[in-house]
Amino acid sequence: MMQAAGDNTTTLNGTVAIYQGQALVTNPREGGKPAVITPGDHAQVLVNGSTLTGPKQVTAEDEIKLIPDCSAPDWQLNIRVSSDKMNAYVRIDRTPGSRYRIFDHGPAHELTVKAELEELIKPEITTQEVIQLLQAKGIVHGIMPEMVQLAIASEQNSEYLVAQGVPPVPGIDAEIRLVFAEKLQKNKPEEAPLIHLHDVISVEPGELLAEVIPPQPGKSGVDVYGNPVLPPAPKNIVLAAGNGAEVNKEGTRAKALIAGRPVLSGHTVTVYPSYTLNGDVDAKTGQVLFKGDVIIQGNVLDGMKVEASGKVVVNGYVANATIIGGGDVVIHQNLVGGTVRAGGVSAICQRLIASLTTLQQYLMQLVPAITQLKKHPTVSRNRDLERLGDGVLVKMLLDTKFKQIPAVLKEIEEDLEKLVGAVESKELDYFRKSFSDFTKKFCARVPLELKTVALIQEFCTKFTGEIKNVSQVLKERAREKAKLSVPYVQNSHLESSGDVYITGKGCYSSNIYAGGNVLIYGSPGVFRGGEIIAGGNIKVRELGSQAEAITLAQVGKDRTITVDRAYPGVTIKAGARVEKINSVTHGLILEGI
């Protein structure tokens, strides 16, 4: 070994120094002691080939090697497969390697060899290595190299999805085909109502009511191990027979045993006969709700409600009560202070269609009216028109020529609200939102968003197009044309998806909304105070009163209103034609255009 260039002259003891990783030893002088070297942290000391574990005296003649610690980097792949074996995840746990450097140290009698960290070494991982480890574990399907690369590149020891199986495609469960509904719709004449599947329909003994459409198998998938994954078996259906029905041994076909109204509840098919209540509907009996036809032999009294999915017949009178029938409603005596609806939601749909048609006609007339109004000298000098735009004219016309529009909008809003939850339709839901936006802009105190005639035209055209679209949906739900018949009506509200017949004295201070015709031809056959809005024709002997009771009769295009006698205070609308009666008029016939 080389000795240090400068010997310690102040002591007789030997010394040891470290320079650039080498130990430099100076022997002691006479009477002195040899130098002592001790291994420290992260450093290994070999003297004459032996590794030191503690202090040792050394001389210049000894062979000394100083070895700093050095460790290789390492990594471990943790693999997790989901319980369904469709997803494989990896987490890479990395252990970095390290390289140390021996500290230099000047001559000292006793010296502890120390080392400092010079470099941390990251493990080198390749995509192919990871894939090979996955495959060694049996994961051979759906490996995603790009996700493996992402896991390798990540500085955090997080889990990454690196392989995915192909899930099986489930089969199609068995379904129940309602044969009776299809048969009824197919056999009805062109103008007959289409019965919705949720409505109650009459059948005869022996008729096929329902049958099971068999399930269809699915398609197998494959998991990350390459094993096939079978789809779940599709569910089958076995029909059960309730009262009035029977099923075959296999439970695939159901037939009617009796005449009545078929109902499917779950997988059970039942046929209900008509229900007859002998007596009054009052507080003792409570409300009457029935899936089928209901016959009330007595009266329906204050606060009561009769609701049936089929026909409702009341042989007595109805006072301050509600009658709702999915089919026809017949009241043989008087109706006072009541609400009667024949045909379920279809009656609301019929009235809503009429209101939307009226609104559409008004909107088509609006732009021409605005164009004409702008030419008026007084209007052209209006400072608000110049400052706020043509929307001012919309407000002016709503207060004058088109003052009926706000009332029509209110009726539409109320009917749309009634249909919430009763009719499931994406088109109807979209129209509700569109209608809300339309009314907000159109009925603003000053429609500032409608500054020009062009914008107003575009706004109205867009909305009338939406009216046409939603009207198609409403027409589908309004095809069932039930009938409503009662001899005398007072202070009541009548709705029918089909015709309304007032067979006795007449109708007073009431409203009638019919999807079909309205016929008031009893004796004397009066309609006085209130409004009739019909999708078909209106025939009435006497309309209004000598006291000029406010009375309205309205039909659409190509429909006719026939009145034997009309009094002042009566307004008759037939399509675009409007007649206000100012004197007693006989033999009036008005056809809508």
Side-chain angles (χ1 to χ4, degrees), residues 454-474:
L455 286 174
I456 297 170
Q457 177 72 65
E458 180 183 355
F459 184 69
C460 293
T461 300
K462 180 177 180 295
F463 189 69
T464 53
E466 292 173 358
I467 289 176
K468 290 180 181 178
N469 292 336
V470 78
S471 293
Q472 294 302 317
V473 176
L474 295 172

Side-chain angles (χ1 to χ4, degrees), residues 524-593:
V526 174
F527 184 84
R528 180 175 298 160
E531 63 181 22
I532 305 173
I533 298 178
N537 303 317
I538 296 175
K539 289 185 178 182
V540 57
R541 291 187 184 278
E542 188 174 308
L543 193 60
S545 68
Q546 292 180 347
E548 300 187 6
I550 301 301
T551 305
L552 169 68
Q554 178 177 324
V555 296
K557 182 181 178 182
D558 298 327
R559 302 298 182 180
T560 303
I561 298 178
T562 303
V563 183
D564 289 354
R565 182 188 298 114
Y567 291 96
V570 169
T571 300
I572 298 176
K573 297 181 179 180
R577 300 178 65 181
V578 179
E579 294 284 346
K580 293 188 176 182
I581 307 303
N582 297 316
S583 60
V584 178
T585 303
H586 296 273
L588 176 63
I589 299 176
L590 191 66
E591 184 174 352
I593 57 173

Side-chain angles (χ1 to χ4, degrees), residues 275-282 288 293-301 304-308 310-319 321-325 328-336 339-341 483-488 503:
Y275 173 66
T276 300
L277 176 64
N278 295 312
D280 296 338
V281 178
D282 53 21
V288 176
D293 293 342
V294 173
I295 300 174
I296 308 298
Q297 297 289 20
N299 309 306
V300 183
L301 303 180
M304 292 296 102
K305 180 179 182 180
V306 176
E307 184 172 355
K311 179 189 293 185
V312 178
V313 177
V314 181
N315 287 320
Y317 63 83
V318 176
T322 300
I323 308 293
I324 299 176
D328 298 348
V329 174
V330 178
I331 302 171
H332 285 286
Q333 295 184 30
N334 298 338
L335 167 64
V336 178
T339 297
V340 179
R341 183 183 302 149
K483 297 178 182 178
L484 193 161
S485 176
V486 57
Y488 174 84
T503 60

Side-chain angles (χ1 to χ4, degrees), residues 116-378:
E116 65 175 347
L117 180 65
E118 184 177 33
E119 181 184 8
L120 283 177
I121 307 169
K122 294 182 179 180
E124 294 184 0
I125 310 169
T126 67
T127 301
Q128 190 58 35
E129 285 178 312
V130 175
I131 292 176
Q132 287 175 352
L133 289 174
L134 288 169
Q135 291 172 340
K137 293 294 185 179
I139 299 171
V140 296
H141 182 82
I143 296 176
M144 299 176 285
E146 66 278 6
M147 294 304 296
V148 172
Q149 292 173 3
L150 187 62
I152 294 172
S154 174
E155 294 294 333
Q156 299 179 346
N157 293 345
S158 302
E159 269 195 345
Y160 287 86
L161 175 65
V162 295
Q164 280 187 308
V166 177
V169 178
I172 300 175
D173 293 341
E175 297 179 0
I176 298 176
R177 176 185 168 214
L178 295 178
V179 179
F180 64 81
E182 296 176 2
K183 181 178 179 181
L184 179 64
Q185 294 179 7
K186 188 181 299 182
N187 293 339
K188 283 290 182 179
E190 184 176 348
E191 295 187 359
L194 292 176
I195 306 300
H196 300 299
L197 295 182
H198 65 272
D199 291 335
V200 180
I201 303 168
S202 295
V203 295
E204 298 297 329
E207 281 193 31
L208 180 63
L209 303 176
E211 65 179 4
V212 175
I213 299 175
Q216 298 181 19
K219 183 179 179 181
S220 296
V222 59
D223 64 19
V224 295
Y225 294 109
N227 301 317
V229 180
L230 299 178
K235 296 179 181 179
N236 198 10
I237 292 175
V238 177
L239 293 174
N243 294 332
E246 66 174 358
V247 299
N248 60 359
K249 293 180 180 180
E250 297 79 13
T252 57
R253 292 166 67 87
K255 291 184 178 181
L257 291 176
I258 63 173
R261 305 283 177 174
V263 174
L264 176 67
S265 178
H267 300 163
T268 302
V269 182
T270 304
V271 179
Y272 292 99
S274 297
Y275 173 66
T276 300
L277 176 64
N278 295 312
D280 296 338
V281 178
D282 53 21
K284 293 181 181 179
T285 62
Q287 314 282 14
V288 176
L289 304 175
F290 187 71
K291 292 184 177 181
D293 293 342
V294 173
I295 300 174
I296 308 298
Q297 297 289 20
N299 309 306
V300 183
L301 303 180
D302 291 9
M304 292 296 102
K305 180 179 182 180
V306 176
E307 184 172 355
S309 59
K311 179 189 293 185
V312 178
V313 177
V314 181
N315 287 320
Y317 63 83
V318 176
N320 301 309
T322 300
I323 308 293
I324 299 176
D328 298 348
V329 174
V330 178
I331 302 171
H332 285 286
Q333 295 184 30
N334 298 338
L335 167 64
V336 178
T339 297
V340 179
R341 183 183 302 149
V345 297
S346 56
I348 301 174
C349 291
Q350 286 282 2
R351 188 176 66 245
L352 182 55
I353 290 171
S355 298
L356 290 173
T357 301
T358 300
L359 176 61
Q360 189 175 16
Q361 292 171 349
Y362 281 137
L363 294 181
M364 291 172 64
Q365 300 169 18
L366 183 63
V367 171
I370 290 174
T371 303
Q372 184 178 1
L373 186 60
K374 286 185 70 173
K375 297 177 181 179
H376 194 280
T378 304

